[in-house]
Amino acid sequence: MKRSYVLILAVLLALPLMPSVFGQAQFISGTVADQSGGVLPGATVQVIDQMKSALVREMVTDDGGRFQALNVQPGVYTIKVELTGFQTLNLSDVKLDVNAKLDIGKLTMKVGEVATVVSVTGEIPMVQTNTMEKSFFVEQKQVSELPMNGRNWTALMRTIPGVTMNSQSNLGLTFNGVETLHVGGGRGSQNNFYLDGTPNLDVGDNQSQYTQPSIDAVAEFRVQMSTFNAEYGRNSGMVVAVQTKSGGSSFHGSLYEYGRNDWLDAVNPIQKRTPDPNDREKQSLNRHQFGGSVSGWIPFPKLSSSDNKRLFFFYNREMTRQLMTP
């Protein structure tokens, strides 16, 4: 009976991970070679998440010395390569962005004992030659530090060349609408939206998202403008891929409250010029956005322990209350 309960609990814990595991479009690829340039088949390649200190993928190079780690979540990784007769190679600080097809190029191994470790810091080429797409990336620092009216992450789309919005303000209670976003003069209903690798666009109207994450839950996002890969289709506009945050090997949490009140607002300068004093009153506004987040790892017998953390979580909850009169 206890085993049944453990199995049911394990399945329930795994269900939230299913979309992120099978829907990810990112991968890391490369080639392993010796100092003379000859390829090395049969080398063991491990992809290790630096934030979680967890092994994500393990594979063996093919006859051409190539490897490819598929369905990897965005993050910072260490690539560890081992082969008998060669020194172990550690390539650290390899950053994988959302929807990125990252080719780290050739990894050169030196002849020597496997116990000898050569550590190298990752230097990723600025131009990726394995894709023809035109895209723009908005990273974590921009998401967390740029000001946004209404705390709606779609406001950051204004920073991307070629994207326009026909709304003057993001201050509202309808957060999931995306019909005001246009790229290259196209319609707002021609765009595709993805959340953690899964489609996030209401196919009924093509103008709203199924789920609108809080800005505190968004890690980064990428906007692809043209020459999409074959995996994308359906709509001819831009492809917006949003990646949410994930837990790490330590626990973190936050609480926040953002308030706006007409007591601190000035009168509209246009209203000041109206002859009727009754028209010079300030617009009433009382708005509060509050919430919090918590993240970390999940202890589970024989699966995730303090020495071998393998289950992680991130939870965010945000609410908005607004009283606004004309």
Side-chain angles (χ1 to χ4, degrees):
M1 184 64 69
K2 290 184 178 180
R3 290 185 177 180
S4 299
Y5 287 139
V6 171
L7 180 60
I8 293 174
L9 181 58
V11 172
L12 291 176
L13 290 173
L15 284 177
L17 304 177
M18 299 296 282
S20 61
V21 170
F22 294 101
Q24 295 296 328
Q26 304 82 216
F27 65 76
I28 301 175
S29 62
T31 304
V32 179
D34 58 20
Q35 290 179 291
S36 66
V39 297
L40 295 176
T44 301
V45 181
Q46 294 181 338
V47 180
I48 303 171
D49 191 318
Q50 293 184 187
M51 184 180 71
K52 300 175 181 177
S53 300
L55 176 63
V56 176
R57 295 288 184 273
E58 185 174 15
M59 67 222 77
V60 177
T61 56
D62 60 15
D63 293 338
R66 297 181 296 270
F67 67 89
Q68 189 176 65
L70 300 175
N71 300 324
V72 181
Q73 290 189 353
V76 181
Y77 295 93
T78 294
I79 309 299
K80 183 178 180 180
V81 186
E82 293 181 330
L83 183 63
T84 303
F86 291 86
Q87 298 177 0
T88 299
L89 175 64
N90 280 344
L91 179 65
S92 60
D93 297 335
V94 177
K95 189 176 186 303
L96 179 66
D97 300 325
V98 60
N99 265 31
K101 281 69 177 172
L102 181 59
D103 184 0
I104 59 178
K106 184 178 292 186
L107 302 180
T108 302
M109 301 188 70
K110 298 180 180 180
V111 176
E113 297 292 334
V114 177
T116 303
V117 179
V118 178
S119 298
V120 182
T121 301
E123 295 182 0
I124 307 304
M126 296 297 293
V127 178
Q128 289 292 309
T129 58
N130 59 343
T131 177
M132 297 176 60
E133 68 183 27
K134 176 184 178 183
S135 63
F136 296 90
F137 177 68
V138 179
E139 61 182 0
Q140 173 68 58
K141 185 176 182 180
Q142 295 170 281
V143 173
S144 60
E145 295 184 4
L146 287 179
M148 283 165 284
N149 187 19
R151 288 176 48 78
N152 189 336
W153 69 267
T154 58
L156 294 175
M157 301 285 287
R158 300 175 187 267
T159 65
I160 298 175
V163 177
T164 58
M165 299 181 69
N166 57 11
S167 62
Q168 297 297 321
S169 173
N170 290 94
L171 184 62
L173 295 177
T174 305
F175 294 99
N176 62 335
V178 291
E179 71 278 0
T180 62
L181 295 171
H182 307 271
V183 57
R187 295 183 178 181
S189 59
Q190 294 178 327
N191 304 318
N192 279 324
F193 283 79
Y194 291 82
L195 181 64
D196 291 336
T198 58
N200 191 36
L201 184 69
D202 187 343
V203 296
D205 60 6
N206 284 348
Q207 296 182 356
S208 59
Q209 303 173 86
Y210 287 123
T211 301
Q212 169 75 1
S214 164
I215 190 64
D216 281 73
V218 174
E220 58 191 30
F221 66 90
R222 180 182 296 274
V223 178
Q224 296 170 247
M225 312 287 283
S226 60
T227 58
F228 308 133
N229 290 328
E231 63 198 271
Y232 302 110
R234 187 174 179 274
N235 291 342
S236 59
M238 60 184 170
V239 174
V240 183
V242 180
Q243 182 68 32
T244 58
K245 296 178 181 179
S246 63
S249 57
S250 58
F251 292 96
H252 297 276
S254 65
L255 292 173
Y256 54 86
E257 152 76 17
Y258 295 89
R260 296 185 61 175
N261 199 297
D262 57 90
W263 292 352
L264 302 176
D265 291 344
V267 178
N268 190 314
I270 297 178
Q271 289 180 321
K272 289 182 179 180
R273 295 181 174 87
T274 59
D276 188 353
N278 294 327
D279 292 337
R280 301 177 192 175
E281 296 182 359
K282 293 186 294 183
Q283 185 182 45
S284 176
L285 173 62
N286 190 353
R287 179 186 177 94
H288 297 273
Q289 288 178 282
F290 52 93
S293 62
V294 60
S295 64
W297 65 281
I298 303 173
F300 197 85
K302 298 182 180 180
L303 181 61
S304 180
S305 63
S306 58
D307 297 328
N308 185 22
K309 301 171 183 176
R310 301 183 64 182
L311 290 177
F312 305 90
F313 73 94
F314 176 87
Y315 177 80
N316 171 263
R317 174 72 172 177
E318 180 173 297
M319 300 181 68
T320 301
R321 292 181 179 177
Q322 177 173 311
L323 176 62
M324 188 173 181
T325 59

